[in-house]
Amino acid sequence: MAPRTLADLVVHAAHTRPTGEGIIGLVQRFSWPEVERRIRKLAQLLIANGVARGDRVGVMRPKGHESFEAVHAILRAGAIMVPFDPMAPAEAVAAVLDDSGVSAIIGHAPTIKRSNALRSEVVELVMCTGNTETLNTDAVVIGIDDLDPAAGDDGFVEFPAVEPDDPAYLIYTSGSTGTPKGILHTHASGLAYAEATVREHSMTAEDRVAAMTGLHFDMSTFELYAAPLAAAAIVQMSEPHLRFPASFTERAAHERTTMWYAVTFLLQQILERGALDQRNWSSLRMVMFAGEVFPSAALRTLMSALPRAEFVNVYGPAEVNASNTYTLTGPPVDGEMVPIGPGLADAEMRVVDDLENPVPPGTKGILWISARTRMREYWNRPDLTEETRRPRQDGPDWYITGDVVHVDEEGIVWFHGRSDHQVKLRGIRVELEGVESTLTNHPQVLHAVAGPWGGEPGTLAVTAVLSPGTELDLRSLQRWAAKKLPSVAIPAHMTVAHSLPQTASGKIDRKTIRAELARIPEET
Amino acid sequence: MSDVTTLAGELCSFIDREVSLDPDTPVEPHTDLLTTGLVDSLGAMEIVHWLEEARNLDIDPVDITIENFQTVEKMVALAKRLTVG
């Protein structure tokens, strides 16, 4: 039977592929039926310990087969899955815990301890691997290192009936005020993405997907949901694999991966330092990239290093999952853009002007998307949900992306940047205003203007005005910021200014300052 | 031998000073830098660059691996191998 919800996916994979490899962990290998039994056991533990439909349950651990199992156990229990960046600073973790109201966590003891997550009194249940004695908490703590699916199969624990319109997962992204905002997807919207992706890219049980994305990042929906729908094998990668391209390529080639889906930044690192010419890539059939524009020269070099693979540009804000996809017909010509493609499956596009009137083909405007992959809402933010939503009678409501695009005569969409102050750094969405408002919380910083730095692609620079008579060096600012901001948003460069240029209306001239920060420094 | 000891010390203090995201955790030669969140992806590259420049080493991409960069001790072993080789 075709899956109706994300909670059905692993059961479906176990039926479709009862033998052979399901998940290739960093140490162990599991068939899909083994994965299914482990997930069922974890879900039963959640339910037996009071987790109910609609509760928020966090996943707080490094990447691996255990994180995949945690996600699916939460979905199976009918709860809402909230993924955490295992490297996130404690203050960022606290902000998400407070906003989402997570009452239980599945994780790894050292990660949970480092995140200082249990200072929140809302967390009542912790199920984790690692040394549970270090946690020092009043919450109920259950060790799951020796999870034995066969032992005491609690047949009497009843799984809740999960419905397609139930909320499934809550994924956080940086907000413009410095407070993260939660994007709430349903089982139906997550499954619509998985179905469209499996069909569009002809994924089958013969595929072997490299797991290249942190769970807290929306692109992980590919490995979490599309892979089990196709009953494809998943080759797990640890965070260090993603930081050391030669280690990644060694494992990816050895395990005969067939599909990659990664942010442009990671693929560029793999190109530069992955020793691609020393590996056998005969099994790799598809490389999908997303997150930001791929510079055409680098993309061309990567394509020639992986000549058997098809290259696919994927686009879509986390709010609508992936909504567009474009398969390259050949290497891009220098200086020419790669389009973000037509709508994926039944996704529809509308491009509007400032008055929200549709513009003719070829004219730039703001992109609206109507798709079954659309989120339900921003968590606890009805204002923001309404601001970015336009009702539609004959299909899913429009989502206002804020991206500037044009659509050509063939219906293919071309991306031209943002209409606001959101930037992508190493594939991760960062709201510049949010970073600036965080930095001005530093006791010595009066004003801060942040923007992508020309000196090092993928990093931020800041121009700061300090309290009179004080000094602040970059390292001190970085260490302070490391407690509050995700690592991509920690400034890599700082200029101290006595005053900032102003616009005619007396506002800080952010545009001029950001242009200065983005300038590529001349070699000295 | 003294050279190796010096390199370990210099690397620890470089990582402490320029790379580490957590000032409360001092970097020792055996500290696991990769699973603890002390070093992110750009930090890892800064360490590679530092080794190349300060020690005049030519590190092949194929050597930039988890095994060789997990701890300062392992980086020192790599540097030694590359110098001898």
Side-chain angles (χ1 to χ4, degrees), chain A residues 199-444:
Chain A
R199 203 167 36 228
E200 176 74 21
H201 303 302
S202 308
M203 290 174 74
T204 71
E206 298 305 311
D207 274 310
R208 296 168 69 84
V209 166
M212 299 173 78
T213 314
L215 298 188
H216 58 288
F217 190 28
D218 62 300
M219 284 168 69
S220 63
T221 49
F222 176 69
E223 60 196 66
L224 290 176
Y225 311 132
L229 180 62
I234 303 171
V235 178
Q236 293 293 344
M237 296 287 171
S238 67
E239 278 86 2
H241 279 103
L242 304 179
R243 270 174 278 157
F244 286 85
S247 294
F248 167 82
T249 59
E250 187 181 30
R251 182 167 164 78
H254 180 73
E255 293 294 347
R256 306 183 316 281
T257 52
T258 65
M259 297 181 86
W260 295 359
Y261 181 35
V263 293
T264 303
F265 181 80
L266 177 55
L267 292 173
Q268 284 179 269
Q269 300 238 300
I270 289 170
L271 172 64
E272 283 161 30
R273 297 183 285 106
L276 285 172
D277 56 344
Q278 302 186 42
R279 317 278 188 228
N280 177 353
W281 298 117
S282 55
S283 60
L284 186 65
R285 72 173 184 91
M286 186 172 284
V287 176
M288 299 152 69
F289 57 91
E292 58 205 313
V293 176
F294 210 135
S296 51
L299 179 53
R300 219 170 37 231
T301 317
L302 184 65
M303 288 175 83
S304 65
L306 302 169
R308 283 166 177 254
E310 260 192 319
F311 279 71
V312 179
N313 189 10
V314 179
Y315 163 87
E319 286 84 349
V320 290
N321 266 305
S323 59
N324 296 63
T325 175
Y326 180 81
T327 303
L328 278 79
T329 48
V333 178
D334 241 350
E336 265 184 32
M337 284 195 299
V338 175
I340 57 179
L344 179 62
D346 50 6
E348 288 183 55
M349 311 288 134
R350 174 183 281 186
V351 184
V352 302
D353 62 17
D354 291 346
L355 299 172
E356 304 198 345
N357 294 316
V359 299
T363 310
K364 284 185 201 173
I366 300 290
L367 177 63
W368 291 11
I369 296 170
S370 164
R372 292 189 301 126
T373 55
R374 185 195 202 287
M375 67 169 180
R376 172 189 285 187
E377 63 195 20
Y378 290 113
W379 182 255
N380 284 340
R381 297 291 302 274
D383 52 331
L384 202 55
T385 304
E386 287 315 306
E387 218 174 276
T388 55
R389 186 177 77 95
R390 291 293 177 271
R392 188 184 171 198
Q393 299 304 324
D394 48 349
D397 288 344
W398 294 106
Y399 170 69
I400 303 178
T401 66
D403 286 336
V404 179
V405 303
H406 86 264
V407 180
D408 65 19
E409 298 286 351
E410 277 88 53
I412 291 174
V413 185
W414 299 74
F415 177 77
H416 295 283
R418 289 288 301 174
S419 61
D420 57 15
H421 305 300
Q422 188 188 95
V423 296
K424 284 276 177 84
L425 297 169
R426 295 174 243 164
I428 296 172
R429 254 159 71 162
V430 174
E431 302 274 359
L432 294 177
E433 291 163 315
V435 174
E436 289 164 354
S437 80
T438 299
L439 293 177
T440 51
N441 286 334
H442 187 285
Q444 284 163 261

Side-chain angles (χ1 to χ4, degrees), chain A residues 492-505:
Chain A
H493 178 77
M494 175 173 71
T495 316
V496 174
H498 294 291
S499 63
L500 297 174
Q502 297 187 344
T503 62
S505 59

Side-chain angles (χ1 to χ4, degrees), chain A residues 243 247 273 426 475 479, chain B residues 16-17 39 42 45 66:
Chain A
R243 270 174 278 157
S247 294
R273 297 183 285 106
R426 295 174 243 164
R475 279 302 286 162
R479 289 192 155 169
Chain B
D16 242 345
R17 205 173 58 239
V39 175
L42 286 177
M45 277 314 92
I66 300 169

Side-chain angles (χ1 to χ4, degrees), chain A residues 430-498:
Chain A
V430 174
E431 302 274 359
L432 294 177
E433 291 163 315
V435 174
E436 289 164 354
S437 80
T438 299
L439 293 177
T440 51
N441 286 334
H442 187 285
Q444 284 163 261
V445 177
L446 292 180
H447 299 287
V449 179
W453 184 32
E456 172 81 53
T459 68
L460 276 190
V462 61
T463 295
V465 177
L466 305 180
S467 302
T470 68
E471 283 181 21
L472 176 66
D473 66 32
L474 176 63
R475 279 302 286 162
S476 321
L477 180 71
Q478 286 175 330
R479 289 192 155 169
W480 180 87
K483 291 196 161 62
K484 302 173 188 292
L485 293 169
S487 78
V488 287
I490 299 169
H493 178 77
M494 175 173 71
T495 316
V496 174
H498 294 291

Side-chain angles (χ1 to χ4, degrees), chain A residues 66-107:
Chain A
E66 300 97 332
S67 57
F68 179 93
E69 290 166 2
V71 167
H72 284 274
I74 294 165
L75 295 169
R76 191 86 173 263
I80 303 174
M81 191 277 291
V82 186
F84 285 82
D85 175 359
M87 301 291 180
E91 289 190 30
V93 171
V96 171
L97 284 171
D98 289 347
D99 190 68
S100 62
V102 160
S103 61
I105 290 173
I106 306 186

